[in-house]
PDB file of all heavy atoms in Angstrom:
ATOM      1  N   ALA A   4     -67.194  21.387  67.941  1.00 87.00           N
ATOM      2  CA  ALA A   4     -67.353  22.341  66.755  1.00 87.00           C
ATOM      3  C   ALA A   4     -66.623  23.614  67.092  1.00 87.00           C
ATOM      4  O   ALA A   4     -66.138  24.334  66.029  1.00 87.00           O
ATOM      5  CB  ALA A   4     -68.865  22.651  66.597  1.00 87.00           C
ATOM      6  N   LYS A   5     -66.180  23.885  68.291  1.00 87.00           N
ATOM      7  CA  LYS A   5     -65.401  25.127  68.618  1.00 87.00           C
ATOM      8  C   LYS A   5     -64.005  24.924  68.600  1.00 87.00           C
ATOM      9  O   LYS A   5     -63.136  25.851  68.878  1.00 87.00           O
ATOM     10  CB  LYS A   5     -65.849  25.702  70.037  1.00 87.00           C
ATOM     11  CG  LYS A   5     -67.236  26.167  70.058  1.00 87.00           C
ATOM     12  CD  LYS A   5     -67.636  26.628  71.451  1.00 87.00           C
ATOM     13  CE  LYS A   5     -69.187  26.910  71.476  1.00 87.00           C
ATOM     14  NZ  LYS A   5     -69.493  27.258  72.924  1.00 87.00           N
ATOM     15  N   GLY A   6     -63.511  23.749  68.330  1.00 83.00           N
ATOM     16  CA  GLY A   6     -62.092  23.347  68.233  1.00 83.00           C
ATOM     17  C   GLY A   6     -61.484  22.990  69.619  1.00 83.00           C
ATOM     18  O   GLY A   6     -60.344  22.814  69.720  1.00 83.00           O
ATOM     19  N   ILE A   7     -62.411  22.781  70.625  1.00 88.00           N
ATOM     20  CA  ILE A   7     -61.997  22.324  71.974  1.00 88.00           C
ATOM     21  C   ILE A   7     -61.770  20.842  71.893  1.00 88.00           C
ATOM     22  O   ILE A   7     -62.689  20.023  71.535  1.00 88.00           O
ATOM     23  CB  ILE A   7     -62.908  22.753  73.095  1.00 88.00           C
ATOM     24  CG1 ILE A   7     -63.190  24.258  73.029  1.00 88.00           C
ATOM     25  CG2 ILE A   7     -62.487  22.309  74.491  1.00 88.00           C
ATOM     26  CD1 ILE A   7     -61.975  25.121  73.296  1.00 88.00           C
ATOM     27  N   SER A   8     -60.581  20.377  72.428  1.00 90.00           N
ATOM     28  CA  SER A   8     -60.323  18.954  72.407  1.00 90.00           C
ATOM     29  C   SER A   8     -60.286  18.350  73.724  1.00 90.00           C
ATOM     30  O   SER A   8     -59.906  18.971  74.743  1.00 90.00           O
ATOM     31  CB  SER A   8     -58.967  18.645  71.793  1.00 90.00           C
ATOM     32  OG  SER A   8     -58.896  19.089  70.490  1.00 90.00           O
ATOM     33  N   PHE A   9     -60.746  17.101  73.801  1.00 93.00           N
ATOM     34  CA  PHE A   9     -60.663  16.216  74.971  1.00 93.00           C
ATOM     35  C   PHE A   9     -59.803  14.944  74.589  1.00 93.00           C
ATOM     36  O   PHE A   9     -59.978  14.440  73.469  1.00 93.00           O
ATOM     37  CB  PHE A   9     -61.881  15.849  75.544  1.00 93.00           C
ATOM     38  CG  PHE A   9     -62.694  16.921  76.203  1.00 93.00           C
ATOM     39  CD1 PHE A   9     -63.552  17.730  75.396  1.00 93.00           C
ATOM     40  CD2 PHE A   9     -62.667  17.105  77.590  1.00 93.00           C
ATOM     41  CE1 PHE A   9     -64.224  18.792  75.891  1.00 93.00           C
ATOM     42  CE2 PHE A   9     -63.341  18.264  78.020  1.00 93.00           C
ATOM     43  CZ  PHE A   9     -64.170  19.010  77.353  1.00 93.00           C
ATOM     44  N   LEU A  10     -58.959  14.468  75.570  1.00 93.00           N
ATOM     45  CA  LEU A  10     -58.240  13.265  75.247  1.00 93.00           C
ATOM     46  C   LEU A  10     -58.730  12.198  76.085  1.00 93.00           C
ATOM     47  O   LEU A  10     -58.918  12.296  77.291  1.00 93.00           O
ATOM     48  CB  LEU A  10     -56.664  13.544  75.531  1.00 93.00           C
ATOM     49  CG  LEU A  10     -56.023  14.567  74.768  1.00 93.00           C
ATOM     50  CD1 LEU A  10     -54.591  14.780  75.149  1.00 93.00           C
ATOM     51  CD2 LEU A  10     -56.083  14.415  73.328  1.00 93.00           C
ATOM     52  N   VAL A  11     -58.926  10.999  75.528  1.00 94.00           N
ATOM     53  CA  VAL A  11     -59.289   9.833  76.271  1.00 94.00           C
ATOM     54  C   VAL A  11     -57.939   9.015  76.584  1.00 94.00           C
ATOM     55  O   VAL A  11     -57.268   8.700  75.630  1.00 94.00           O
ATOM     56  CB  VAL A  11     -60.184   8.883  75.585  1.00 94.00           C
ATOM     57  CG1 VAL A  11     -60.551   7.669  76.301  1.00 94.00           C
ATOM     58  CG2 VAL A  11     -61.437   9.647  75.277  1.00 94.00           C
ATOM     59  N   MET A  12     -57.635   8.980  77.768  1.00 94.00           N
ATOM     60  CA  MET A  12     -56.267   8.378  78.185  1.00 94.00           C
ATOM     61  C   MET A  12     -56.502   7.081  78.905  1.00 94.00           C
ATOM     62  O   MET A  12     -57.481   6.867  79.691  1.00 94.00           O
ATOM     63  CB  MET A  12     -55.650   9.369  79.176  1.00 94.00           C
ATOM     64  CG  MET A  12     -55.494  10.862  78.766  1.00 94.00           C
ATOM     65  SD  MET A  12     -54.570  10.978  77.163  1.00 94.00           S
ATOM     66  CE  MET A  12     -52.904  10.449  77.688  1.00 94.00           C
ATOM     67  N   ARG A  13     -55.663   6.158  78.701  1.00 95.00           N
ATOM     68  CA  ARG A  13     -55.650   4.827  79.360  1.00 95.00           C
ATOM     69  C   ARG A  13     -54.321   4.658  80.116  1.00 95.00           C
ATOM     70  O   ARG A  13     -53.194   4.915  79.705  1.00 95.00           O
ATOM     71  CB  ARG A  13     -55.634   3.712  78.351  1.00 95.00           C
ATOM     72  CG  ARG A  13     -55.933   2.235  78.990  1.00 95.00           C
ATOM     73  CD  ARG A  13     -56.188   1.288  77.921  1.00 95.00           C
ATOM     74  NE  ARG A  13     -57.527   1.559  77.278  1.00 95.00           N
ATOM     75  CZ  ARG A  13     -57.741   1.252  75.984  1.00 95.00           C
ATOM     76  NH1 ARG A  13     -56.894   0.670  75.196  1.00 95.00           N
ATOM     77  NH2 ARG A  13     -59.013   1.503  75.531  1.00 95.00           N
ATOM     78  N   PHE A  14     -54.447   4.174  81.446  1.00 95.00           N
ATOM     79  CA  PHE A  14     -53.348   4.045  82.266  1.00 95.00           C
ATOM     80  C   PHE A  14     -53.571   2.980  83.282  1.00 95.00           C
ATOM     81  O   PHE A  14     -54.718   2.556  83.568  1.00 95.00           O
ATOM     82  CB  PHE A  14     -53.036   5.378  83.001  1.00 95.00           C
ATOM     83  CG  PHE A  14     -54.115   5.906  83.848  1.00 95.00           C
ATOM     84  CD1 PHE A  14     -54.238   5.637  85.151  1.00 95.00           C
ATOM     85  CD2 PHE A  14     -55.135   6.687  83.248  1.00 95.00           C
ATOM     86  CE1 PHE A  14     -55.171   6.243  85.928  1.00 95.00           C
ATOM     87  CE2 PHE A  14     -56.176   7.223  84.019  1.00 95.00           C
ATOM     88  CZ  PHE A  14     -56.203   6.980  85.385  1.00 95.00           C
ATOM     89  N   ALA A  15     -52.585   2.519  83.927  1.00 91.00           N
ATOM     90  CA  ALA A  15     -52.600   1.435  85.010  1.00 91.00           C
ATOM     91  C   ALA A  15     -52.591   2.115  86.301  1.00 91.00           C
ATOM     92  O   ALA A  15     -51.800   2.985  86.717  1.00 91.00           O
ATOM     93  CB  ALA A  15     -51.456   0.500  84.884  1.00 91.00           C
ATOM     94  N   ALA A  16     -53.641   1.742  87.108  1.00 88.00           N
ATOM     95  CA  ALA A  16     -53.711   2.241  88.455  1.00 88.00           C
ATOM     96  C   ALA A  16     -52.716   1.606  89.331  1.00 88.00           C
ATOM     97  O   ALA A  16     -52.066   0.627  89.006  1.00 88.00           O
ATOM     98  CB  ALA A  16     -55.082   2.082  89.048  1.00 88.00           C
ATOM     99  N   GLU A  17     -52.531   2.195  90.507  1.00 86.00           N
ATOM    100  CA  GLU A  17     -51.592   1.606  91.552  1.00 86.00           C
ATOM    101  C   GLU A  17     -51.806   0.151  91.866  1.00 86.00           C
ATOM    102  O   GLU A  17     -50.869  -0.648  92.143  1.00 86.00           O
ATOM    103  CB  GLU A  17     -51.696   2.526  92.765  1.00 86.00           C
ATOM    104  CG  GLU A  17     -50.485   2.380  93.716  1.00 86.00           C
ATOM    105  CD  GLU A  17     -50.791   3.346  94.896  1.00 86.00           C
ATOM    106  OE1 GLU A  17     -51.848   3.468  95.442  1.00 86.00           O
ATOM    107  OE2 GLU A  17     -49.749   4.100  95.137  1.00 86.00           O
ATOM    108  N   ASP A  18     -53.146  -0.164  91.818  1.00 84.00           N
ATOM    109  CA  ASP A  18     -53.517  -1.504  92.120  1.00 84.00           C
ATOM    110  C   ASP A  18     -53.466  -2.500  90.953  1.00 84.00           C
ATOM    111  O   ASP A  18     -53.845  -3.735  91.170  1.00 84.00           O
ATOM    112  CB  ASP A  18     -54.947  -1.544  92.900  1.00 84.00           C
ATOM    113  CG  ASP A  18     -56.072  -1.070  91.956  1.00 84.00           C
ATOM    114  OD1 ASP A  18     -55.759  -0.618  90.798  1.00 84.00           O
ATOM    115  OD2 ASP A  18     -57.101  -0.953  92.452  1.00 84.00           O
ATOM    116  N   GLY A  19     -53.082  -2.051  89.836  1.00 86.00           N
ATOM    117  CA  GLY A  19     -52.945  -2.926  88.556  1.00 86.00           C
ATOM    118  C   GLY A  19     -54.095  -2.718  87.648  1.00 86.00           C
ATOM    119  O   GLY A  19     -53.922  -3.316  86.604  1.00 86.00           O
ATOM    120  N   ARG A  20     -55.164  -2.201  88.123  1.00 89.00           N
ATOM    121  CA  ARG A  20     -56.329  -2.110  87.212  1.00 89.00           C
ATOM    122  C   ARG A  20     -55.990  -1.152  86.014  1.00 89.00           C
ATOM    123  O   ARG A  20     -55.236  -0.182  86.236  1.00 89.00           O
ATOM    124  CB  ARG A  20     -57.608  -1.499  87.833  1.00 89.00           C
ATOM    125  CG  ARG A  20     -58.164  -2.515  88.888  1.00 89.00           C
ATOM    126  CD  ARG A  20     -59.431  -1.983  89.400  1.00 89.00           C
ATOM    127  NE  ARG A  20     -59.100  -0.930  90.434  1.00 89.00           N
ATOM    128  CZ  ARG A  20     -59.978  -0.135  90.960  1.00 89.00           C
ATOM    129  NH1 ARG A  20     -61.296  -0.206  90.628  1.00 89.00           N
ATOM    130  NH2 ARG A  20     -59.604   0.680  91.960  1.00 89.00           N
ATOM    131  N   THR A  21     -56.531  -1.439  84.855  1.00 92.00           N
ATOM    132  CA  THR A  21     -56.353  -0.509  83.703  1.00 92.00           C
ATOM    133  C   THR A  21     -57.561   0.373  83.640  1.00 92.00           C
ATOM    134  O   THR A  21     -58.787  -0.027  83.742  1.00 92.00           O
ATOM    135  CB  THR A  21     -56.324  -1.345  82.378  1.00 92.00           C
ATOM    136  OG1 THR A  21     -55.236  -2.127  82.498  1.00 92.00           O
ATOM    137  CG2 THR A  21     -56.196  -0.382  81.157  1.00 92.00           C
ATOM    138  N   LEU A  22     -57.321   1.684  83.695  1.00 91.00           N
ATOM    139  CA  LEU A  22     -58.408   2.836  83.749  1.00 91.00           C
ATOM    140  C   LEU A  22     -58.318   3.558  82.490  1.00 91.00           C
ATOM    141  O   LEU A  22     -57.260   3.734  81.893  1.00 91.00           O
ATOM    142  CB  LEU A  22     -58.163   3.591  84.943  1.00 91.00           C
ATOM    143  CG  LEU A  22     -58.151   2.884  86.334  1.00 91.00           C
ATOM    144  CD1 LEU A  22     -57.802   3.926  87.356  1.00 91.00           C
ATOM    145  CD2 LEU A  22     -59.473   2.255  86.600  1.00 91.00           C
ATOM    146  N   GLN A  23     -59.487   4.100  82.175  1.00 93.00           N
ATOM    147  CA  GLN A  23     -59.610   5.026  81.091  1.00 93.00           C
ATOM    148  C   GLN A  23     -60.345   6.285  81.597  1.00 93.00           C
ATOM    149  O   GLN A  23     -61.352   6.146  82.255  1.00 93.00           O
ATOM    150  CB  GLN A  23     -60.381   4.331  79.980  1.00 93.00           C
ATOM    151  CG  GLN A  23     -60.387   5.089  78.689  1.00 93.00           C
ATOM    152  CD  GLN A  23     -60.844   4.173  77.499  1.00 93.00           C
ATOM    153  OE1 GLN A  23     -60.250   3.218  77.260  1.00 93.00           O
ATOM    154  NE2 GLN A  23     -61.891   4.587  76.912  1.00 93.00           N
ATOM    155  N   ALA A  24     -59.908   7.444  81.081  1.00 92.00           N
ATOM    156  CA  ALA A  24     -60.465   8.770  81.543  1.00 92.00           C
ATOM    157  C   ALA A  24     -60.295   9.813  80.610  1.00 92.00           C
ATOM    158  O   ALA A  24     -59.405   9.789  79.806  1.00 92.00           O
ATOM    159  CB  ALA A  24     -59.892   9.165  82.893  1.00 92.00           C
ATOM    160  N   LYS A  25     -61.356  10.651  80.487  1.00 91.00           N
ATOM    161  CA  LYS A  25     -61.261  11.790  79.579  1.00 91.00           C
ATOM    162  C   LYS A  25     -60.758  12.969  80.280  1.00 91.00           C
ATOM    163  O   LYS A  25     -61.150  13.274  81.442  1.00 91.00           O
ATOM    164  CB  LYS A  25     -62.695  12.110  79.103  1.00 91.00           C
ATOM    165  CG  LYS A  25     -62.687  13.177  78.026  1.00 91.00           C
ATOM    166  CD  LYS A  25     -64.010  13.595  77.630  1.00 91.00           C
ATOM    167  CE  LYS A  25     -64.926  12.574  76.952  1.00 91.00           C
ATOM    168  NZ  LYS A  25     -66.079  13.038  76.451  1.00 91.00           N
ATOM    169  N   VAL A  26     -59.685  13.603  79.743  1.00 90.00           N
ATOM    170  CA  VAL A  26     -59.083  14.802  80.288  1.00 90.00           C
ATOM    171  C   VAL A  26     -59.220  15.944  79.273  1.00 90.00           C
ATOM    172  O   VAL A  26     -59.282  15.700  78.155  1.00 90.00           O
ATOM    173  CB  VAL A  26     -57.572  14.533  80.726  1.00 90.00           C
ATOM    174  CG1 VAL A  26     -57.484  13.518  81.794  1.00 90.00           C
ATOM    175  CG2 VAL A  26     -56.725  14.209  79.573  1.00 90.00           C
ATOM    176  N   GLY A  27     -59.252  17.161  79.844  1.00 86.00           N
ATOM    177  CA  GLY A  27     -59.249  18.320  79.031  1.00 86.00           C
ATOM    178  C   GLY A  27     -60.232  19.371  79.709  1.00 86.00           C
ATOM    179  O   GLY A  27     -60.618  19.100  80.768  1.00 86.00           O
ATOM    180  N   PRO A  28     -60.552  20.270  78.999  1.00 89.00           N
ATOM    181  CA  PRO A  28     -60.443  20.619  77.692  1.00 89.00           C
ATOM    182  C   PRO A  28     -59.083  21.356  77.360  1.00 89.00           C
ATOM    183  O   PRO A  28     -58.363  21.825  78.097  1.00 89.00           O
ATOM    184  CB  PRO A  28     -61.618  21.754  77.457  1.00 89.00           C
ATOM    185  CG  PRO A  28     -61.772  22.321  78.753  1.00 89.00           C
ATOM    186  CD  PRO A  28     -61.325  21.365  79.795  1.00 89.00           C
ATOM    187  N   PHE A  29     -58.818  21.180  76.138  1.00 88.00           N
ATOM    188  CA  PHE A  29     -57.524  21.680  75.524  1.00 88.00           C
ATOM    189  C   PHE A  29     -57.791  22.461  74.318  1.00 88.00           C
ATOM    190  O   PHE A  29     -58.510  22.023  73.411  1.00 88.00           O
ATOM    191  CB  PHE A  29     -56.496  20.571  75.132  1.00 88.00           C
ATOM    192  CG  PHE A  29     -56.180  19.714  76.300  1.00 88.00           C
ATOM    193  CD1 PHE A  29     -56.622  18.448  76.381  1.00 88.00           C
ATOM    194  CD2 PHE A  29     -55.260  20.062  77.278  1.00 88.00           C
ATOM    195  CE1 PHE A  29     -56.326  17.631  77.422  1.00 88.00           C
ATOM    196  CE2 PHE A  29     -54.909  19.278  78.273  1.00 88.00           C
ATOM    197  CZ  PHE A  29     -55.392  18.033  78.420  1.00 88.00           C
ATOM    198  N   ARG A  30     -57.153  23.635  74.083  1.00 86.00           N
ATOM    199  CA  ARG A  30     -57.061  24.267  72.755  1.00 86.00           C
ATOM    200  C   ARG A  30     -56.053  23.666  71.997  1.00 86.00           C
ATOM    201  O   ARG A  30     -56.219  23.416  70.833  1.00 86.00           O
ATOM    202  CB  ARG A  30     -56.656  25.813  72.999  1.00 86.00           C
ATOM    203  CG  ARG A  30     -57.837  26.647  73.333  1.00 86.00           C
ATOM    204  CD  ARG A  30     -58.531  27.203  72.154  1.00 86.00           C
ATOM    205  NE  ARG A  30     -59.642  27.951  72.496  1.00 86.00           N
ATOM    206  CZ  ARG A  30     -60.800  27.996  71.901  1.00 86.00           C
ATOM    207  NH1 ARG A  30     -60.952  27.121  70.820  1.00 86.00           N
ATOM    208  NH2 ARG A  30     -61.766  28.658  72.247  1.00 86.00           N
ATOM    209  N   ASN A  31     -54.861  23.372  72.608  1.00 85.00           N
ATOM    210  CA  ASN A  31     -53.753  22.585  71.833  1.00 85.00           C
ATOM    211  C   ASN A  31     -53.479  21.348  72.742  1.00 85.00           C
ATOM    212  O   ASN A  31     -52.692  21.381  73.597  1.00 85.00           O
ATOM    213  CB  ASN A  31     -52.589  23.500  71.817  1.00 85.00           C
ATOM    214  CG  ASN A  31     -52.775  24.677  70.930  1.00 85.00           C
ATOM    215  OD1 ASN A  31     -53.345  24.607  69.821  1.00 85.00           O
ATOM    216  ND2 ASN A  31     -52.538  25.881  71.471  1.00 85.00           N
ATOM    217  N   PRO A  32     -54.110  20.210  72.364  1.00 85.00           N
ATOM    218  CA  PRO A  32     -53.830  18.963  73.182  1.00 85.00           C
ATOM    219  C   PRO A  32     -52.335  18.649  73.282  1.00 85.00           C
ATOM    220  O   PRO A  32     -51.599  18.806  72.314  1.00 85.00           O
ATOM    221  CB  PRO A  32     -54.527  17.948  72.436  1.00 85.00           C
ATOM    222  CG  PRO A  32     -55.537  18.659  71.573  1.00 85.00           C
ATOM    223  CD  PRO A  32     -54.901  19.992  71.249  1.00 85.00           C
ATOM    224  N   PRO A  33     -51.923  18.133  74.423  1.00 87.00           N
ATOM    225  CA  PRO A  33     -50.491  17.759  74.717  1.00 87.00           C
ATOM    226  C   PRO A  33     -50.104  16.491  74.004  1.00 87.00           C
ATOM    227  O   PRO A  33     -48.868  16.135  74.234  1.00 87.00           O
ATOM    228  CB  PRO A  33     -50.344  17.851  76.181  1.00 87.00           C
ATOM    229  CG  PRO A  33     -51.776  17.398  76.627  1.00 87.00           C
ATOM    230  CD  PRO A  33     -52.711  18.019  75.725  1.00 87.00           C
ATOM    231  N   ALA A  34     -50.994  15.787  73.433  1.00 87.00           N
ATOM    232  CA  ALA A  34     -50.654  14.395  72.830  1.00 87.00           C
ATOM    233  C   ALA A  34     -51.658  14.091  71.679  1.00 87.00           C
ATOM    234  O   ALA A  34     -52.613  14.563  71.627  1.00 87.00           O
ATOM    235  CB  ALA A  34     -50.741  13.350  73.832  1.00 87.00           C
ATOM    236  N   LEU A  35     -51.093  13.293  70.787  1.00 89.00           N
ATOM    237  CA  LEU A  35     -51.782  12.752  69.708  1.00 89.00           C
ATOM    238  C   LEU A  35     -52.191  11.447  70.051  1.00 89.00           C
ATOM    239  O   LEU A  35     -51.692  10.746  71.141  1.00 89.00           O
ATOM    240  CB  LEU A  35     -51.001  12.773  68.333  1.00 89.00           C
ATOM    241  CG  LEU A  35     -50.547  14.119  67.924  1.00 89.00           C
ATOM    242  CD1 LEU A  35     -49.571  14.022  66.746  1.00 89.00           C
ATOM    243  CD2 LEU A  35     -51.714  14.967  67.554  1.00 89.00           C
ATOM    244  N   VAL A  36     -53.090  10.801  69.359  1.00 91.00           N
ATOM    245  CA  VAL A  36     -53.470   9.289  69.674  1.00 91.00           C
ATOM    246  C   VAL A  36     -52.257   8.478  69.587  1.00 91.00           C
ATOM    247  O   VAL A  36     -51.471   8.579  68.612  1.00 91.00           O
ATOM    248  CB  VAL A  36     -54.558   8.923  68.711  1.00 91.00           C
ATOM    249  CG1 VAL A  36     -54.784   7.440  68.872  1.00 91.00           C
ATOM    250  CG2 VAL A  36     -55.865   9.687  68.866  1.00 91.00           C
TER     251      VAL A  36
END
């Protein structure tokens, strides 16, 4: 409600697993979906 954004990011780990993590908080997020 305060305009603070979190991004849910998906990436491949070094061992090949696909991981998902929430990063932030951001006032102006560095990426769109």
